[in-house]
Amino acid sequence: MRIGGSLFRVEDTQKIQAAVFGHHGVVQEGGLKVGRLVDARVDTVKRGMQVRSRRPLHLMHKALREVLGDHVQQRGRWSTPTRPGSISAYAPLTREQVVRIEQIVNAEILANLPTQARA
């Protein structure tokens, strides 16, 4: 974010309330003051990479819940192209479950549906 002669690099954004988001990051140039307007811009290349790396995790989570049940939970919020996040379940998967999960995920990928962001 640019604020006059200042530059703030956002490293994380968290939803605080329905329409309130907190931005955590580092002041790289200048300083910040409460109440000043900012010129916030999204790095579309970086954001596109983040969306593509999260999509497989969401597909896997959906498939696991379909095969194993609602007790399956996505853990943590960090997901990058090299660190896909984690999902917890009660027991190791059987070979049949793995095959079914792969079928569900592959079908979703082949459907090639557009990605949507929801608040």
Side-chain angles (χ1 to χ4, degrees), residues 59-60 62-64 66-67 95-111:
L59 293 175
M60 178 68 77
K62 177 185 175 201
L64 284 166
E66 190 174 317
V67 172
R95 179 69 190 137
E96 293 77 20
Q97 289 170 325
V98 170
V99 168
R100 182 67 187 128
I101 291 164
E102 287 175 348
Q103 290 170 341
I104 293 168
V105 172
N106 287 333
E108 289 282 342
I109 291 168
L110 291 173

Side-chain angles (χ1 to χ4, degrees), residues 75-88:
R75 298 281 185 190
R77 58 186 163 88
W78 296 112
S79 177
T80 68
T82 57
R83 186 170 180 254
S86 62
I87 296 174
S88 70

Side-chain angles (χ1 to χ4, degrees), residues 28-87:
Q28 294 183 309
E29 299 172 20
L32 298 175
K33 291 185 181 178
V34 174
R36 287 189 64 192
L37 295 177
V38 299
D39 179 19
R41 297 180 186 185
V42 174
D43 180 337
T44 56
V45 172
K46 183 178 178 183
R47 182 66 185 135
M49 289 172 50
Q50 290 169 333
V51 168
R52 284 187 298 278
S53 70
R54 296 267 319 150
R55 184 72 177 139
L57 181 64
H58 292 157
L59 293 175
M60 178 68 77
H61 183 225
K62 177 185 175 201
L64 284 166
R65 287 176 66 91
E66 190 174 317
V67 172
L68 302 177
D70 291 341
H71 69 279
V72 175
Q73 294 183 352
Q74 187 173 328
R75 298 281 185 190
R77 58 186 163 88
W78 296 112
S79 177
T80 68
T82 57
R83 186 170 180 254
S86 62
I87 296 174

Side-chain angles (χ1 to χ4, degrees), residues 13-23 119:
T13 302
Q14 296 179 4
K15 189 173 189 175
I16 298 169
Q17 294 177 358
V20 179
F21 293 84
H23 295 80

